[in-house]
Amino acid sequence: MYVRPAAAAAAAFLGFTLTLLGGTASYAATGPGSAAGTGTGTGAKTGRAALGGPVVYAHRGASAYAPENTLDAIDLAMQMGFDWVENDVQRTKDGVLVVIHDDTLARTTDVEQRFPDRAPWKVQDFTAAEIARLDAGSWFGDEYAGASVPTLRQYLDRVQRNRQKLLLEIKKPELYPGIEEQTLKVLEEAGWLDARHVAQRLVVQSFSADSVRIVHGLRPDLVTAFLGTPAVADLPRYAEFTDRINPWHTTISADWVSAVHGLLGAHGKAMEVDTWIVDDAATARKVQDMGVDGIITNAPDVVQDAVGGF
């Protein structure tokens, strides 16, 4: 297991806001699920969970051990043996897509020192060139001093080089009109919308149902995921335009997971559930017993050791 300094652990904990995460692009669910448990009971595993354990996603890269959403974090995930990485996409003042979770630069860069008079340091108020000058690693540890906030294109190129797979979250689309079309354009320019990537290596997700619906409308072949925990009665509505429902782990039960599995999603396959953010073995085993298909985690090694994911 990788061990990070206590200071880094505290800093990373501050970043555990309700963020993204979703499924896997090879949507090979085996059929509608049928979990038979109580709210926290053990249900019958279906889909990917029945094929050897849930898929493990490195949340913002291996972010328990390297600064989140940096190239260092996805490189470390690769070195640890994890294929799937997750990231967050936002837009700069001059229209460049960058990979960062918060809509402000303050938590994960030295923007307050470099630009002290520009509070509240919103991503959308800075140009890509200005953001490129920021240090996005020192807050986590001295060994990462000088790490930068990558553009989406830089990030895609590194994921491609690493032969990894991508769970991409469109972050706060209400702040960035048209970001869905722009994200798809960058993906296409980087070679990520060919048949192989779309079938096996890419999932696009958002907390915004409207944003997921837009992506599905523009590229019906893409696997999409909605971040949240809709009521069971509302699930059929989501199944019309998405393939996965990806909830915060404290909000689900085996019966809820079974209800999702019992619906066919936008591609005619049983819908899947990838839950977040799970960083300890006990919780990983708990959600595995509920029948989830994937687990999104800052500490992918801890989760994989616990559930035997792939």
Side-chain angles (χ1 to χ4, degrees), residues 47-242:
R48 288 174 292 163
L51 299 176
V55 175
V56 177
Y57 297 88
H59 179 234
R60 308 180 203 170
S63 58
Y65 314 115
E68 63 184 63
N69 275 323
T70 62
L71 301 184
D72 292 297
I74 55 175
D75 287 349
L76 182 56
M78 176 195 66
Q79 294 161 19
M80 295 169 71
F82 293 95
D83 290 337
W84 280 98
V85 295
E86 181 272 341
N87 73 346
D88 306 285
V89 176
Q90 303 202 51
R91 189 163 64 203
T92 68
K93 182 179 181 179
D94 53 342
V96 177
L97 297 184
V98 292
V99 176
I100 188 169
H101 173 266
D102 299 0
D103 63 0
T104 173
L105 297 154
R107 180 175 63 87
T108 57
T109 78
D110 62 347
V111 69
E112 294 184 45
Q113 289 72 46
R114 288 185 178 267
F115 300 98
D117 300 324
R118 293 176 62 180
W121 302 287
K122 295 289 189 180
V123 173
Q124 62 184 347
D125 293 335
F126 286 78
T127 67
E130 289 171 332
I131 291 174
R133 292 168 49 195
L134 301 177
D135 181 340
S138 291
W139 69 276
F140 191 91
D142 291 342
E143 66 271 34
Y144 292 108
S148 62
V149 175
T151 65
L152 176 57
R153 180 57 189 266
Q154 289 169 336
Y155 195 96
L156 291 170
D157 289 346
R158 183 62 64 90
V159 175
Q160 179 72 15
R161 192 192 77 176
N162 291 350
R163 299 182 180 180
Q164 291 169 301
K165 304 173 184 181
L166 181 60
L167 173 59
L168 183 154
E169 181 185 351
I170 297 176
K171 201 74 184 172
K172 297 194 174 180
E174 66 275 9
L175 298 179
Y176 313 109
I179 193 173
E180 296 86 4
E181 294 91 337
Q182 186 178 4
T183 299
L184 292 174
K185 181 179 179 182
V186 175
L187 285 165
E188 184 168 19
E189 291 171 349
W192 275 79
L193 292 186
D194 62 10
R196 184 170 62 90
H197 284 80
V198 167
Q200 299 179 344
R201 297 180 63 184
L202 179 64
V203 176
V204 177
Q205 66 178 355
S206 179
F207 279 105
S208 166
D210 288 340
S211 188
V212 177
R213 190 181 291 106
I214 289 169
V215 171
H216 177 67
L218 292 169
R219 286 295 303 239
D221 54 332
L222 276 180
V223 179
T224 58
F226 172 73
L227 289 159
T229 314
V232 169
D234 294 331
L235 289 172
R237 253 186 336 112
Y238 290 85
E240 295 174 2
F241 60 86
T242 194

Side-chain angles (χ1 to χ4, degrees), residues 1-2 4 16 56-59 61-65 80 82 277-281 284 295-306:
M1 179 189 300
Y2 287 71
R4 61 182 174 184
F16 291 176
V56 177
Y57 297 88
H59 179 234
S63 58
Y65 314 115
M80 295 169 71
F82 293 95
I277 301 168
V278 176
D279 288 340
D280 66 278
I295 299 175
I296 298 123
T297 172
N298 301 292
D301 55 332
V302 173
V303 170
Q304 184 173 53
D305 288 347

